[in-house]
Amino acid sequence: VPLLDAAGVTAFVESVWPGAFEAYEVVDVGDRTARVKLRYHDRMLRPGGTVSGPSLMALADTAMWAAVLGAVGPVAMTVTTHLDIDFLRFVGSHDVVADARLLKLGRRLAVGDVLMTADGASEPCARASLTYSIPPDAAPGAS
Amino acid sequence: VPLLDAAGVTAFVESVWPGAFEAYEVVDVGDRTARVKLRYHDRMLRPGGTVSGPSLMALADTAMWAAVLGAVGPVAMTVTTHLDIDFLRFVGSHDVVADARLLKLGRRLAVGDVLMTADGASEPCARASLTYSIPPDAAPGAS
Amino acid sequence: VPLLDAAGVTAFVESVWPGAFEAYEVVDVGDRTARVKLRYHDRMLRPGGTVSGPSLMALADTAMWAAVLGAVGPVAMTVTTHLDIDFLRFVGSHDVVADARLLKLGRRLAVGDVLMTADGASEPCARASLTYSIPPDAAPGAS
Amino acid sequence: VPLLDAAGVTAFVESVWPGAFEAYEVVDVGDRTARVKLRYHDRMLRPGGTVSGPSLMALADTAMWAAVLGAVGPVAMTVTTHLDIDFLRFVGSHDVVADARLLKLGRRLAVGDVLMTADGASEPCARASLTYSIPPDAAPGAS
């Protein structure tokens, strides 16, 4: 059971960073997992008519942040230290759903990966892996 | 259904690169997936008494290669162009099982990820993502 | 000598994607290199008062794109297939300069890395490596 | 000035891990940099007649380790937590020189990159970036 569920993550982020989740919907937060939807907007397009790379990168970061918040509770200042992303398929002008899972939640680092799929597609449009640095006193868990 | 199953992948690799799979067992090859086991040997240890990073990297590469061979058939000269790996937990002196899945099988590139778990452990010891370049005429498939 | 210099890259991008470089200044394009500056704006901030990760990711992508355009000429539809980024230090509210260099310019793929430094800082704030897919007929060069 | 020079790094590694550098020559250790040479041996070959990916990965790891040891002194148990590598060109059967530079040396993490070039080649055969976890009490230094 996560320390924060989808509503808890959304409320916490809104309290510390109003508007930060304007483009996102936290669909679900589970046991070291989170599902976050990017709501399509024209400003996310790049030439060729597809959601831009930075928009997908920001989505991956947001989904992993939701999973971390669910697991460690309301800690504002986790910091992304590393992101690796493969762009697999064009998205077009669609919402994109990201599924994040934490693979390690240590005292100092959290590592996880994210799979992103455009609304209605059967194959993923991108994958990412991320590392978060967790400030001292924030993590409940073991290494 | 893969073009080569576990026995087919093993036989093909043995025919083109005898001894290459000496340390490995191809446990299963499925639809764009492969499970490969690294059989522990003392020469894989590094100080601290754990299977070395390069051994895990080679395992990830081998598991993804098995998945690619299953999907595209007996093509010797696929080339790894990119590998990203996170080391999550010490392995100790154990076998390690790698589960690879292809996320994209294009005409020119294949992209996938691999989760590795030490024998008997409940949490993964490493994750990796890889890109393979596929030579012209090798890929049967789609985008 | 690049096929497009800084003014040429800027003019080409403005012609195919008006406004795309609004936040950027292409400072220099050399032999398989490019220097691009991100002009700081408050909307790039994230909590903690520093330029956001996605803003740095977009900068890295832009700098590498400038280096690729300089090397292959005015080709609109190169596609970023992979990005790996390490966030090293907080930027604060400053401009950021990115130095990109192409390490390989093949017929199908271009690979390079980018070092980013906040204005006035002595140490880099981020590093990235990227892979671009180059469409057929676009690349002048060898594999 | 590094805390350990090339001879110091070599002697330290030999004392804690005899034989670990059998395949390597630490050519130089500078201010947060190291140059390490992989001495070619037939067992490093893979089909196609080129030095294998895992051999290059191990070289990158070794070169970064040498740079870290130079910067933090004789600390055995630094741990590689992340490695990202792009394979750019075939090596053939040649020695390979790796140039590592530390981009960040924090209290807990060290991040750097490595450029690898086959003996006699003018262009790099691979690039890598790595993250090391530094145990408490090991790091002398700064942020």
Side-chain angles (χ1 to χ4, degrees), chain C residues 17 37 41 61 67 90 104 114 130-131:
Chain C
W17 194 5
K37 177 184 283 194
H41 187 285
D61 199 31
F90 273 25
K104 171 167 176 147
V114 183
L130 297 98
T131 302

Side-chain angles (χ1 to χ4, degrees), chain A residues 60-112:
Chain A
D61 199 31
T62 300
M64 185 59 64
W65 191 29
V68 169
L69 288 174
V72 308
V75 176
M77 285 310 295
T78 55
V79 175
T80 307
T81 59
H82 174 255
L83 182 144
D84 182 88
I85 186 165
D86 291 292
F87 301 101
L88 305 172
R89 292 173 184 87
F90 273 25
V91 171
S93 47
H94 296 282
D95 292 351
V96 181
V97 170
D99 283 293
R101 59 177 175 176
L102 280 168
L103 298 172
K104 172 168 176 150
L105 178 59
R107 259 175 298 236
R108 312 197 308 186
L109 293 178
V111 179

Side-chain angles (χ1 to χ4, degrees), chain A:
Chain A
V1 179
L3 295 179
L4 291 177
D5 63 8
V9 165
T10 303
F12 171 68
V13 170
E14 185 59 28
S15 73
V16 295
W17 193 6
F21 273 15
E22 190 183 16
Y24 304 104
E25 176 191 347
V26 182
V27 177
D28 187 63
V29 175
D31 179 18
R32 303 192 173 191
T33 65
R35 170 170 287 187
V36 172
K37 177 184 282 194
L38 174 69
R39 293 194 201 97
Y40 172 75
H41 186 285
D42 285 350
R43 72 177 132 67
M44 299 166 189
L45 275 190
R46 74 166 198 66
T50 189
V51 170
S52 73
S55 297
L56 294 176
M57 299 175 212
L59 171 62
D61 199 31
T62 300
M64 185 59 64
W65 191 29
V68 169
L69 288 174
V72 308
V75 176
M77 285 310 295
T78 55
V79 175
T80 307
T81 59
H82 174 255
L83 182 144
D84 182 88
I85 186 165
D86 291 292
F87 301 101
L88 305 172
R89 292 173 184 87
F90 273 25
V91 171
S93 47
H94 296 282
D95 292 351
V96 181
V97 170
D99 283 293
R101 59 177 175 176
L102 280 168
L103 298 172
K104 172 168 176 150
L105 178 59
R107 259 175 298 236
R108 312 197 308 186
L109 293 178
V111 179
D113 61 11
V114 183
L115 208 57
M116 287 162 272
T117 307
D119 203 48
S122 58
E123 305 261 30
C125 60
R127 63 145 298 281
S129 38
L130 297 98
T131 302
Y132 271 63
S133 178
I134 300 175
D137 308 331
S143 84

